[in-house]
Amino acid sequence: MSIPVDQWLQMLEDAGSEPTGESRISRYLQSSYDFLAEGKRVLGRYSNLTKYHLDRFKADELSTARAPGRVNLIGEHTDYNGLPVFPMAVNRDMAALFSPRNDRKVVIANTEPGFAERCFDIEESIPPYPTGDWGNYCKAAVQGLLDHYRQKRRGAERFRGFEATIDGDIPIAAGMSSSSALVVLCALIFLSSNRLDLHTTAEGLLELADLLAGAERYVGTQGGGMDQAISLMGASGHAVKIDFFPLRIRTAPLPENCSIVVADSTVKAAKTAEALDKYNRRPVECRLAAAVLKRTFSEHYGREVPISLLGDLKEEKLAITESEIWKIADAALHEDPFTLEEIAGILGQSAEKTAALYCKRRNGSIFPEPAEGFKLQQRYRHVIDEGRRVEQSVRALEEEDISGFGELMNRSHQSCRDLYEISCPELDRLVDISREAGALGSRLTGAGFGGCTVSLVESKQVEAFIHQVNKAYYRDYLGLEDREFGALIFSCQAAGGASVFAGA
Ligand code: NG1
């Protein structure tokens, strides 16, 4: 299935001399990247990756794979609540060269010196590295697939490992999902190394996306399934609306006269233990809000009303009219934060049991009650309204109502800032500056607490827009020198989903 190294080198050379040529690597790269616009950069990257890989590993044959990052246009923190998101895959990715091994070892090197090589054995239960270690994303993918095939009784004990060199050009810890792209990439490498074909059909991709969303919890986040799904199923030139439980996708063309500009606030949204707790507090609050609502609805109707996620508050799911749903839900959640004691009282059980049911971290420890209490009403309001904004945004794009879409993005940011409280002063400033610089809409994107903003800008204004943001945010607000901020703001193209090229 793999390509002999000399053929690979020859193909890279052919592609270099003839960027739009018909060689197989050239065709693979063309279907994965906007080869005409950035062929030179792509080839430079792959040449560098090849050199690194061949210096490190003794390979006679090679395969390659890539998994894109994403920018979420709207729909923040809705996925794990069972409500839709609206991201696009971007032309920034994690790419790898790899070869299967004959034993059960996984060896991963990285062209980035900050990511030291990792090596682990494929075993029934793979012990994680310390929290925050990059190798955990690879372990997450391998463990997830092992568990999947073990359940299907597909000879998981015979799986073999691989050696790979990885090169990423997605800004790290910036809310563009470099970590999920790494999970998806390692999953494709593992599947291809073991001649498994889960990723080769449309239904298989949905199954794989679901499986990897669960698998990534290995690293300790309690996130939803947006990032893995969009990395696997991105569509060139399109944003993708993703619905959950069950996972479904629908593409919507992006307007040709507009660009999507991503700007890094430079505040790192790294997934350290402390940052994980900040992030995970939101899913905890959403689960508590859903539990309180389930109890209230069930008492009101004298039957068990099936609410386990905030996204279950739907007429078709509950067999209750929309207007009744909102009347009861709005009345059940007061504005003042809830104490654990009060929630336990509503649920008719002890505080200990409530904490054990709804406030557990992945490692089994209990998430502590925040000093200010649990802000159930604010979190509920954001999630429900944000889900509606996603539906409205898809319609706006389909009707080519660009300013309507921009306005929804602006409202989303406001809600992320005031109700979900996942913004920070730098993101707020960057969003304000972006709007002053002509963005039709601008908002934080991704988990929040730092990372990037996404702005919708008329294509003919992009250059002036970037110039003004450079000046007002990076130079005047952050006090950076010109040479320091070249790479921090860029417009990105909607790219296709992850792929493998094994030469077959
Ligand atoms: P990022 O920005 O990649 O940390 C996280 C979650 C998403 C989603 C967003 C917020 C993971 C892997 N990703 O994304 O599922 O909940 O936050 O919309 O947990």
Side-chain angles (χ1 to χ4, degrees):
M1 284 281 279
S2 320
I3 320 152
V5 166
D6 50 352
Q7 261 183 45
W8 168 265
L9 292 171
Q10 187 60 51
M11 281 194 282
L12 263 188
E13 208 170 291
D14 289 351
S17 59
E18 196 190 341
T20 54
E22 281 304 304
S23 72
R24 289 185 302 164
I25 183 64
S26 179
R27 264 184 277 137
Y28 168 78
L29 292 173
Q30 282 172 57
S31 64
S32 310
Y33 301 94
D34 182 353
F35 209 47
L36 280 180
E38 43 176 13
K40 218 170 161 187
R41 182 175 80 87
V42 171
L43 286 170
R45 227 181 123 201
Y46 275 83
S47 300
N48 186 36
L49 177 58
T50 305
K51 187 171 175 318
Y52 195 108
H53 187 73
L54 295 179
D55 280 352
R56 169 61 189 89
F57 298 106
K58 294 205 178 356
D60 299 325
E61 300 202 328
L62 284 174
S63 297
T64 183
R66 57 170 273 283
R70 61 99 177 102
V71 54
N72 190 18
L73 302 178
I74 195 161
E76 226 57 85
H77 291 262
T78 41
D79 55 356
Y80 53 81
N81 286 296
L83 288 169
V85 293
F86 198 33
M88 67 182 215
V90 294
N91 54 330
R92 304 271 182 139
D93 64 22
M94 303 297 269
L97 290 183
F98 68 95
S99 331
R101 288 175 63 101
N102 290 323
D103 57 14
R104 289 169 69 77
K105 275 202 184 319
V106 170
V107 187
I108 42 168
N110 198 310
T111 55
E112 180 65 51
F115 297 111
E117 185 170 307
R118 293 287 178 260
C119 173
F120 62 90
D121 288 309
I122 297 180
E123 50 189 313
E124 192 163 331
S125 172
I126 304 169
Y129 295 115
T131 305
D133 191 293
W134 80 283
N136 278 338
Y137 294 97
C138 185
K139 286 187 168 182
V142 173
Q143 181 76 63
L145 287 166
L146 282 179
D147 293 347
H148 173 78
Y149 286 107
R150 198 173 300 125
Q151 239 177 26
K152 300 211 153 188
R153 304 193 189 293
R154 285 272 304 275
E157 60 294 336
R158 286 199 304 275
F159 288 147
R160 53 186 182 156
F162 56 82
E163 48 202 27
T165 304
I166 293 168
D167 176 81
D169 69 351
I170 310 170
I172 293 168
M176 292 188 79
S177 243
S178 56
S179 44
S180 296
L182 182 53
V183 173
V184 168
L185 179 74
C186 291
L188 291 190
I189 295 176
F190 180 86
L191 289 167
S192 173
S193 298
N194 286 288
R195 300 182 179 218
L196 297 162
D197 58 4
L198 190 56
H199 56 296
T200 58
T201 61
E203 305 83 69
L205 281 176
L206 288 170
E207 196 178 348
L208 181 59
D210 249 344
L211 180 168
L212 293 180
E216 195 170 326
R217 305 219 172 96
Y218 180 94
V219 305
T221 41
Q222 303 182 6
M226 155 165 61
D227 304 343
Q228 303 79 8
I230 187 65
S231 185
L232 280 166
M233 292 175 284
S236 172
H238 290 71
V240 183
K241 181 192 175 214
I242 307 174
D243 281 279
F244 301 92
F245 316 124
L247 191 63
R248 283 152 292 155
I249 61 164
R250 170 171 151 200
T251 56
L254 285 158
E256 277 172 15
N257 54 351
C258 282
S259 298
I260 301 297
V261 181
V262 169
D264 190 341
S265 70
T266 75
V267 177
K268 289 288 166 224
K271 295 221 168 80
T272 57
E274 192 195 327
L276 278 180
D277 257 2
K278 264 206 224 167
Y279 177 89
N280 286 338
R281 175 176 164 189
R282 301 304 184 273
V284 164
E285 290 176 312
C286 291
R287 285 201 295 270
L288 288 169
V292 166
L293 292 173
K294 179 184 170 83
R295 183 70 181 205
T296 313
F297 275 81
S298 299
E299 271 178 9
H300 186 93
Y301 287 98
R303 65 174 165 100
E304 172 148 333
V305 178
I307 302 169
S308 50
L309 300 170
L310 290 175
D312 291 334
L313 296 168
K314 284 185 189 128
E315 191 164 330
E316 61 276 19
K317 169 100 190 192
L318 307 186
I320 302 171
T321 61
E322 283 272 327
S323 59
E324 276 294 294
I325 292 178
W326 305 125
K327 202 167 89 195
I328 299 171
D330 288 352
L333 300 173
H334 51 67
E335 192 180 342
D336 288 341
F338 286 66
T339 61
L340 186 63
E341 219 36 66
E342 182 185 2
I343 297 170
I346 297 170
L347 301 181
Q349 63 198 16
S350 68
E352 291 70 38
K353 181 154 183 219
T354 307
L357 279 175
Y358 303 104
C359 310
K360 266 223 177 99
R361 294 193 187 93
R362 193 187 175 277
N363 63 10
S365 62
I366 300 287
F367 183 86
E369 180 175 1
E372 55 172 352
F374 291 109
K375 296 193 168 180
L376 303 194
Q377 189 213 52
Q378 293 77 356
R379 310 313 186 216
Y380 149 83
R381 236 344 348 125
H382 166 79
V383 167
I384 299 297
D385 291 346
E386 186 76 352
R388 287 188 187 136
R389 281 189 286 267
V390 170
E391 305 288 355
Q392 291 163 349
S393 297
V394 176
R395 272 202 301 279
L397 267 197
E398 283 171 352
E399 288 162 10
E400 296 180 31
D401 176 10
I402 308 307
S403 54
F405 181 43
E407 184 48 38
L408 288 160
M409 290 173 76
N410 290 341
R411 276 197 260 143
S412 166
H413 183 78
Q414 208 174 6
S415 177
C416 286
R417 182 190 64 201
D418 300 339
L419 296 175
Y420 222 63
E421 297 179 287
I422 52 169
S423 191
C424 61
E426 292 83 355
L427 283 170
D428 292 339
R429 189 75 199 105
L430 185 50
V431 157
D432 286 345
I433 288 173
S434 300
R435 290 183 200 148
E436 283 156 23
L440 298 165
S442 186
R443 54 182 296 278
L444 68 83
T445 182
F449 307 108
C452 291
T453 59
V454 55
S455 301
L456 181 69
V457 183
E458 275 188 79
S459 297
K460 58 179 195 285
Q461 292 200 357
V462 166
E463 222 174 291
F465 171 82
I466 291 182
H467 182 75
Q468 198 168 325
V469 175
N470 274 339
K471 183 174 167 316
Y473 183 74
Y474 295 110
R475 199 164 76 198
D476 297 350
Y477 180 74
L478 291 185
L480 297 181
E481 304 273 333
D482 284 17
R483 63 183 159 76
E484 291 173 306
F485 54 70
L488 294 174
I489 177 166
F490 49 91
S491 81
C492 39
Q493 276 68 51
S499 51
V500 191
F501 180 70

